[in-house]
Amino acid sequence: MGAQLKVVVVGAGLSGLVAATELADAGVDVTVLDKGRSVGGRLATRRLADARLDHGAQFFTVRSPAFRRRVDDWVDRGLVAVWNHGFDADDGHPRYVGTAGMNSLAKDLAASAERAGATIMTSTLAFGLRPSPGDSPQHRWEVVIDDGSTLPTDAVIFTCPLAQTFALLADVGVWKSGDEATDAAHDAIVARLGIDLDQTLFRTQYDRTIALLATVDGPTAIPEPGGVQDGDDVFSFIGDNQAKGISSSPAVTFHANAEWSEAHWDDDADTTLAALEAAARPWLGDAQIIERQLKTWRFATPRTVWPDPCWTTADGTVVVAGDAFAGPRVEGAHNSGLAAAHSLLA
Ligand SMILES: Cc1cc2nc3c(=O)[nH]c(=O)nc-3n(C[C@H](O)[C@H](O)[C@H](O)COP(=O)(O)OP(=O)(O)OC[C@H]3O[C@@H](n4cnc5c(N)ncnc54)[C@H](O)[C@@H]3O)c2cc1C
């Protein structure tokens, strides 16, 4: 392989962007596709009036040397700061945040990938993967994208939540990410691409999250340091974006826990909004909600994590990565993206 290698990365979340940066730095011809209007995936930050709110990942911790190096660089450049050292009690471990919101970290990686020569295509849905036609094609695979065109490539790194990745490995339109992970669907992928896809990996499930984003008119009752984990029966996390330092005006992110989100997933938006606002009330003190928005994450958190940092086909040309591999959090996504890139550079 080497300098001539052509790689398509599906997904411009943290893992895809890390993989793309690493590969582009090594001289690989990289194209990144994301169906979203901008990069970041679950590193998501939204503006509501003049407030700024993180509505996916809220903070992160650092345990591994590889992520330590990345975070040290972000801290040196003012992109990341320490929010606190524990929500209930000081445990000595820093909780970091993006100083301009978590999405700014994805933007930073995308910019460095592009500087190194990568092409990043947003608003571009990958539909499927197929072997290149012909007896001796120049490239091993074709990635089919939503305008009907194809991208020929030597290797593909998939970094979507796993059900979305496996929908791309099934024949176009045959099995969708919301469909049940049956033996037949698994066997169809194995037969179609001739890959040894593990059944357990194929059946990885994700918890959902329903988020309420709210701007408020004054101080809330959320205690120092402005974040509460598993504070009651409804919310897994409550984050005061002003206390966190990313919003100039008061704005709160409420994440309903997995059980609540699952139970209310099919409710209509008005009913869900009313229920979440009622549950949020005790945390708001005297503050009143000015603007609110709902955000739903169908594939928020993998319920199980694969023991290796990425998965590859026997010939190494299809790599599956993301936070279902190196841990269901920011650091895991980062390290899985690195491992995916290195599997192609080895
Ligand atoms: C509500 C919530 C709260 C969280 N809180 C924390 C936290 O506090 N701390 C922490 O460490 N972690 C947290 N996480 C987890 C963290 O956000 C993720 O682990 C990490 O961002 C995942 O990155 P990724 O690159 O693996 O996947 P993603 O960010 O999901 O990226 C995958 C990308 O693939 C794209 N995609 C999917 N299908 C296609 C397709 N067919 N074609 C093209 N593109 C496609 C998507 O648009 C997406 O951008 C949270 C996650 C959620 C949802």
Side-chain angles (χ1 to χ4, degrees):
M1 296 194 175
Q4 302 305 310
L5 184 68
K6 198 172 168 69
V7 176
V8 170
V9 177
V10 181
L14 182 58
S15 51
L17 291 170
V18 166
T21 308
E22 202 73 4
L23 289 168
D25 279 344
V28 173
D29 175 351
V30 189
T31 303
V32 187
L33 312 177
D34 201 291
K35 65 180 182 170
R37 267 183 301 163
S38 58
V39 300
R42 283 171 276 167
L43 292 184
T45 307
R46 183 167 288 184
R47 284 241 169 230
L48 209 54
D50 58 352
R52 190 196 270 147
L53 304 91
D54 282 329
H55 63 97
Q58 298 292 303
F59 65 91
F60 56 88
T61 48
V62 183
R63 294 178 175 83
S64 60
F67 194 45
R68 172 90 272 154
R69 282 192 290 279
R70 178 84 60 191
V71 174
D72 284 349
D73 171 57
W74 279 335
V75 170
D76 288 348
R77 291 191 289 128
L79 294 173
V80 155
V82 175
W83 179 6
N84 61 71
H85 291 82
F87 293 98
D88 297 330
D90 188 330
D91 61 15
H93 293 293
R95 272 64 165 182
Y96 294 94
V97 295
T99 49
M102 297 291 265
N103 185 256
S104 63
L105 305 180
K107 292 219 166 76
D108 180 64
L109 279 168
S112 57
E114 286 181 324
R115 275 197 303 277
T119 301
I120 299 182
M121 299 166 67
T122 52
S123 301
T124 305
L125 179 83
F127 257 139
L129 178 72
R130 63 188 185 208
S132 290
D135 290 338
S136 51
Q138 197 186 348
H139 299 290
R140 171 80 176 83
W141 300 105
E142 285 183 351
V143 177
V144 184
I145 59 176
D146 51 2
D147 64 1
S149 63
T150 55
L151 294 175
T153 187
D154 299 312
V156 190
I157 300 177
F158 290 99
T159 66
C160 330
L162 287 178
Q164 294 177 327
T165 288
F166 295 137
L168 296 172
L169 297 184
D171 211 353
V172 173
V174 164
W175 186 78
K176 300 186 294 305
S177 55
D179 293 349
E180 195 189 342
T182 58
D183 286 350
H186 167 268
D187 295 350
I189 294 174
V190 170
R192 177 170 178 267
L193 297 179
I195 59 176
D196 183 19
L197 175 59
D198 184 275
Q199 276 276 11
T200 309
L201 184 63
F202 177 63
R203 290 170 185 278
T204 304
Q205 297 196 352
Y206 285 69
D207 284 332
R208 306 163 192 228
T209 300
I210 302 179
L212 167 68
L213 311 181
T215 60
V216 293
D217 63 1
T220 68
I222 300 167
E224 288 288 320
V228 179
Q229 286 179 301
D230 298 318
D232 59 26
D233 291 344
V234 176
F235 298 119
S236 54
F237 193 80
I238 302 166
D240 176 336
N241 292 280
Q242 192 177 33
K244 186 171 156 177
I246 71 161
S247 181
S248 57
S249 57
V252 186
T253 302
F254 293 92
H255 282 160
N257 63 37
E259 296 71 32
W260 198 97
S261 299
E262 180 91 32
H264 294 267
W265 193 256
D266 294 323
D267 293 355
D268 67 76
D270 288 345
T271 307
T272 307
L273 208 47
L276 286 179
E277 279 191 49
R281 193 63 262 157
W283 298 101
L284 293 178
D286 294 331
Q288 299 300 317
I289 293 179
I290 306 169
E291 283 196 48
R292 79 273 290 152
Q293 262 184 24
L294 272 188
K295 167 76 195 168
T296 54
W297 295 100
R298 169 62 189 87
F299 299 104
T301 315
R303 287 186 191 156
T304 49
V305 172
W306 190 246
D308 303 318
C310 64
W311 180 88
T312 61
T313 51
D315 70 357
T317 61
V318 177
V319 185
V320 182
D323 69 337
F325 293 86
R329 58 185 73 87
V330 170
E331 179 166 30
H334 175 275
N335 289 350
S336 182
L338 268 189
H342 292 165
S343 79
L344 292 173
L345 294 172

